[in-house]
């Protein structure tokens, strides 16, 4: 459930009409890295936490520290950031899910979305590049999905942007190719969250990139630029990477020493 910060002085009702942006814990952590770029670039304010027993517990120092004064602030596994000027709220997830806890988390999350009256949810995700079918090998590695309720509102815009919808694949390849299903290997909670939103009438979009495990920072930039084509969070530039502010925590991605302020 959502627990507001004392300094936020708000509640779930304060999010009415907002767009909720969140990652799926998926291959390469691409969605989480992209969310980091959004929070850091827009200098979003932490307004609360998402308290749940579905994620592995963790605690660390402020991943978006800009000075010694705020570097010792503690962060946990699921936190909520807000930018009222853009009607944007972000849920950042920093740890993996506990086994068999996907469904309880999705139920709790969607209940919060409904209670807080968020206008729509945008999930940033990724999927294994090596498990693409022949059709998915063609063209861009980026895909999107829209629930029926959101399709009515923005489906035409996606066509104008020339975006490619995530293809369904044969349920029984080589045996029966007519039965098609949504398949997002490596996508974590993405498929469950999307299908549940469809059944509950929640407006949700999924933006994802096919990728492989490794240095996934370039994938994160590609995904966040994809998001920006639609939501226009920042002004687009010729050098699309330079428009995003890299958070201080990314210095630790590949095993650099821990910051002294942590101790």
């Amino acid at each position: 459930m959502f627990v507001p910060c004392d300094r936020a002085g708000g509640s779930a009702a304060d999010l009415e009409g907002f767009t909720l942006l969140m990652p799926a814990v998926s291959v390469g952590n691409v969605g989480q890295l992209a969310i980091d770029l959004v929070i850091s670039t827009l200098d979003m304010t932490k307004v609360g936490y998402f308290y749940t027993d579905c994620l592995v517990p963790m605690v660390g120092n402020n991943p978006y520290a800009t000075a010694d004064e705020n570097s010792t602030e503690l962060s946990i596994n699921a936190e909520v950031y807000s930018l009222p000027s853009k009607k944007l709220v972000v849920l950042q997830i920093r740890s993996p899910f506990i086994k068999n806890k996907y469904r309880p988390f999705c139920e709790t999350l969607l209940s919060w979305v409904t209670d807080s009256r968020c206008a729509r949810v945008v999930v940033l995700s990724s999927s294994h590049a090596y498990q693409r079918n022949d059709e998915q090998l063609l063209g861009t590695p980026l895909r999107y999905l829209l629930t029926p309720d959101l399709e009515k509102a923005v489906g035409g815009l996606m066509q104008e942007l020339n975006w490619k919808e995530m293809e369904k694949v044969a349920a029984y390849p080589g045996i029966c190719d007519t039965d098609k299903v949504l398949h997002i290997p490596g996508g974590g909670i993405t498929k469950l969250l999307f299908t549940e939103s469809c059944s509950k009438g929640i407006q949700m979009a999924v933006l994802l990139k096919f990728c492989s495990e490794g240095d996934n920072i370039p994938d994160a930039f590609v995904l966040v630029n994809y998001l920006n084509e639609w939501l226009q969070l920042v002004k687009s530039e010729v050098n699309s990477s330079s428009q995003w502010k890299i958070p201080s925590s990314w210095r630790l991605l590949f095993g650099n020493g821990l910051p002294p302020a942590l101790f």
Side-chain angles (χ1 to χ4, degrees):
M1 65 177 183
F2 175 68
V3 180
C5 292
D6 291 338
R7 65 171 181 263
S11 65
D14 296 330
L15 304 179
E16 183 176 1
F18 277 53
T19 294
L20 171 63
L21 181 63
M22 62 170 288
V25 182
S26 51
V27 56
N29 301 316
V30 176
Q32 293 155 291
L33 292 170
I35 292 291
D36 269 351
L37 291 170
V38 171
I39 295 172
S40 181
T41 302
L42 299 180
D43 194 22
M44 299 184 73
T45 302
K46 182 161 63 176
V47 295
Y49 310 88
F50 197 75
Y51 181 75
T52 175
D53 62 355
C54 300
L55 296 167
V56 173
M58 61 78 63
V59 65
N61 64 322
N62 182 4
Y64 313 115
T66 55
D68 291 340
E69 290 75 18
N70 63 2
S71 63
T72 54
E73 294 179 6
L74 294 181
S75 296
I76 62 170
N77 54 8
E79 295 184 322
V80 180
Y81 298 78
S82 178
L83 187 63
S85 63
K86 290 185 178 291
K87 285 279 189 177
L88 181 69
V89 61
V90 171
L91 169 64
Q92 176 62 302
I93 301 174
R94 299 193 178 95
S95 68
F97 285 89
I98 294 172
K99 187 177 181 180
N100 299 325
K101 289 289 188 175
Y102 276 11
R103 187 167 293 278
F105 179 84
C106 289
E107 291 174 353
T108 303
L109 175 70
L110 295 179
S111 177
W112 173 50
V113 169
T114 302
D115 293 343
S116 61
R117 298 189 290 278
C118 286
R120 59 190 175 187
V121 183
V122 181
V123 179
L124 301 185
S125 185
S126 50
S127 184
H128 284 301
Y130 74 89
Q131 289 192 254
R132 288 174 290 177
N133 62 16
D134 291 346
E135 186 179 4
Q136 292 169 340
L137 288 169
L138 301 174
T140 176
L142 295 162
R143 294 292 189 275
Y144 78 92
L145 287 166
L146 299 175
T147 59
D149 288 80
L150 188 56
E151 174 77 36
K152 299 173 185 176
V154 302
L157 175 60
M158 301 311 186
Q159 298 299 320
E160 292 177 15
L161 292 172
N162 292 318
W163 281 15
K164 198 167 185 178
E165 189 172 5
M166 183 69 172
E167 301 89 348
K168 291 186 176 181
V169 300
Y172 307 100
I175 300 174
C176 178
D177 293 331
T178 56
D179 293 335
K180 301 283 187 176
V181 295
L182 182 63
H183 186 50
I184 310 176
I189 65 170
T190 306
K191 180 179 176 180
L192 178 61
L193 200 56
F194 180 75
T195 54
E196 287 294 306
S197 296
C198 288
S199 64
K200 295 179 184 295
I202 293 173
Q203 295 193 17
M204 176 178 285
V206 174
L207 310 187
L208 66 83
K209 184 181 186 298
F210 294 116
C211 66
S212 302
E213 292 279 5
D215 179 0
N216 295 102
I217 289 176
D219 297 309
F221 277 111
V222 171
L223 186 59
V224 78
N225 285 327
Y226 188 52
L227 170 72
N228 197 54
E229 285 184 42
W230 173 23
L231 296 187
Q232 298 292 299
L233 299 176
V234 299
K235 184 178 180 180
S236 297
E237 299 178 2
V238 176
N239 184 353
S240 57
S241 296
S242 64
Q243 66 196 5
W244 302 103
K245 179 182 176 182
I246 296 175
S248 56
S249 57
W250 282 23
R251 296 195 304 267
L252 306 176
L253 283 179
F254 298 105
N256 295 335
L258 293 174
L262 189 58
F263 300 98

